[in-house]
Amino acid sequence: MCQRIVPYFTRDGKGNDFVKDVKIKQFPVNEMEFDCQICKRHTSSGVRTKDIVSSNFTDWAYVGEYVCPDCADLFSLYFYNYVVDSDGIHLYNVRELRDQLIMPQKPPFMFVITTSQKKHLFYRSTWNHTSDRFAVNLETETIYTTPERMRRLFDFVECMQALGCSKERLKQGQISEKAFLGIGMDAIRFLNHELKSREIQIPLYCGQKREITEEEAICCINLTLKA
């Protein structure tokens, strides 16, 4: 049985970049005609679910007795963020997610972000047939967004981080004194409005502090608020 490998760009404990070969576990495939309960596609072969999962598995409501080989592959990815499309599986580290979220994807595709690295998420996720407005599964929450919305919200969160705002404080609707003095109440109103939409939770998880000056951060945020 041929071992499948998917590349994953990551860093070691010293901050050095390297490529990790992620092995996709292979299981015995049975010839059979059925509709996969996860992806809803008709297939002529399947993998017995009990051959994949442990005795502690409890999400039987999402899967059937058998799953298609493509869905079987995704059981190996609970530790990773990924996009699945017609070209296969693409693994992304948290620093790469921003670029993927602000650019059009290739439909049909599924976008999965894990925050716990402890759960199978793909069978809870939504397949997208357009990249204009698409679903992202942030752990078990399905959030609908657009590349334009993601671009704006990443600009806001990452520039607020450059002004000393932690993600945890932003999640509570709070900003730093430095940000308040530079931008004022408009930033707080924008933040609290966006917290209700849930889309901002994505950059609040994977956004990266920008290495820019305070003046540049304030300018970018002001442009974002006027957009």
Side-chain angles (χ1 to χ4, degrees), residues 1-5 23-27 73:
M1 190 177 296
C2 181
Q3 179 73 65
R4 289 191 58 199
I5 301 292
K23 298 179 180 179
I24 304 297
K25 294 180 181 178
Q26 301 295 289
F27 302 95
D73 287 347

Side-chain angles (χ1 to χ4, degrees), residues 26-95:
Q26 301 295 289
F27 302 95
V29 176
N30 303 277
E31 293 186 6
M32 56 188 302
E33 294 276 343
F34 75 107
D35 292 328
C36 179
Q37 186 171 322
I38 298 173
C39 66
K40 313 304 180 187
R41 291 180 301 174
H42 186 76
T43 180
S44 58
S45 60
V47 177
R48 197 167 71 121
T49 307
K50 286 186 177 180
D51 289 341
I52 306 173
V53 301
S54 72
S55 58
N56 296 322
F57 185 76
T58 58
D59 285 340
W60 289 104
Y62 295 96
V63 303
E65 183 180 356
Y66 287 85
V67 299
C68 73
D70 288 341
C71 286
D73 287 347
L74 301 182
F75 277 95
S76 297
L77 305 179
Y78 68 91
F79 189 75
Y80 302 95
N81 311 299
Y82 54 91
V83 171
V84 182
D85 60 23
S86 58
D87 293 328
I89 298 167
H90 313 275
L91 302 181
Y92 297 110
N93 63 54
V94 70
R95 296 173 300 280

Side-chain angles (χ1 to χ4, degrees), residues 6 9-10 21 32 34 52 54 70 73 78 85 100-101 116 125 135 138 149 157-158 160 177 182 200 203 208 219 226:
V6 180
F9 295 87
T10 186
D21 289 337
M32 56 188 302
F34 75 107
I52 306 173
S54 72
D70 288 341
D73 287 347
Y78 68 91
D85 60 23
Q100 296 303 316
L101 286 157
S116 70
S125 302
L138 182 65
R149 285 280 292 157
V157 169
E158 294 180 340
M160 291 297 281
E177 181 180 0
I200 200 171
Q208 306 292 304
C219 180
K226 294 176 183 177

